[in-house]
Amino acid sequence: MEDRELQQWIEQISMESFGRPFVHQARFNRRLRSTGGRYFMKSHDIEISWSQWETYGRDEIEKIIKHELCHYHLHILKRGYQHRDQDFKTLLAQVGGTRYCQSLPRPRAKQPYKYRLECVNCKTEYFRKRKMDVRKFACGNCRGKLKSYTLDLTAPS
């Protein structure tokens, strides 16, 4: 689906479900990950998550579109358009939109530890993925000074 098809689809849903036209711009946003869509109050444009479209398809996107159109129409009518407002909750239930989008599956690659901290006194080891200033911290066991070592990530484990 392309942006112009999305635009036509949103215009159609707006007329069918809300009885009012959508006269602004709609587009996909490939960077959206934690949200299904966005409504911009200044420009009145709507963005829809491309990842949601690829993962969950037409039915889920239609619910997200109805959610964003609730924001759109209520804001234009100067009524409660925020998630906490009763006007928004009521309209969302009437049109069959979704309050929350589904979470996207996120396979995360486990990052290796890059740094090893060692207490000078008790020899307790701490492993870190990010570099830190050892002058600002002390050992959790004995309050001793820490010494930092960079781990060799190319060596076989």
Side-chain angles (χ1 to χ4, degrees):
M1 179 177 279
E2 294 181 12
D3 286 349
R4 63 177 170 74
E5 295 172 291
L6 177 67
Q7 177 77 31
Q8 292 171 348
W9 189 26
I10 289 179
E11 289 171 2
Q12 177 188 351
I13 291 173
S14 181
M15 286 306 294
E16 289 173 359
S17 298
F18 296 86
R20 301 179 58 82
F22 174 74
V23 294
H24 292 86
Q25 294 297 308
R27 61 189 161 272
F28 280 111
N29 185 333
R30 294 180 184 269
R31 294 183 317 258
L32 292 180
R33 296 269 183 251
S34 61
T35 184
R38 294 193 293 195
Y39 165 66
F40 296 95
M41 290 186 291
K42 288 185 180 179
S43 65
H44 301 293
D45 292 347
I46 291 178
E47 287 184 346
I48 301 296
S49 169
W50 179 257
S51 302
Q52 288 283 334
W53 168 256
E54 283 185 321
T55 307
Y56 298 111
R58 192 172 186 87
D59 292 338
E60 188 64 26
I61 292 298
E62 186 170 345
K63 294 175 188 174
I64 293 169
I65 289 171
K66 288 179 180 179
H67 176 105
E68 300 308 326
L69 284 173
C70 285
H71 288 300
Y72 173 80
H73 289 298
L74 290 170
H75 184 250
I76 288 177
L77 294 172
K78 297 185 180 356
R79 293 177 56 201
Y81 61 89
Q82 296 178 342
H83 291 125
R84 67 175 179 250
D85 295 326
Q86 194 58 47
D87 289 337
F88 179 81
K89 292 176 184 176
T90 304
L91 184 59
L92 190 63
Q94 286 174 357
V95 298
T98 183
R99 184 92 190 264
Y100 305 102
C101 69
Q102 293 185 30
S103 297
L104 292 171
R106 292 189 189 190
R108 293 209 173 190
K110 188 164 174 115
Q111 292 179 327
Y113 294 114
K114 295 180 184 177
Y115 303 99
R116 180 176 63 90
L117 307 177
E118 184 179 63
C119 176
V120 176
N121 294 339
C122 68
K123 305 295 183 203
T124 302
E125 290 184 329
Y126 303 94
F127 292 93
R128 303 278 304 177
K129 295 179 183 183
R130 295 184 186 171
K131 193 171 188 173
M132 60 182 272
D133 187 359
V134 293
R135 295 173 296 177
K136 295 181 180 179
F137 298 93
C139 175
N141 290 336
C142 70
R143 311 298 297 155
K145 289 189 175 191
L146 298 173
K147 185 164 178 155
S148 179
Y149 299 96
T150 303
L151 298 175
D152 183 15
L153 299 177
T154 60
S157 42

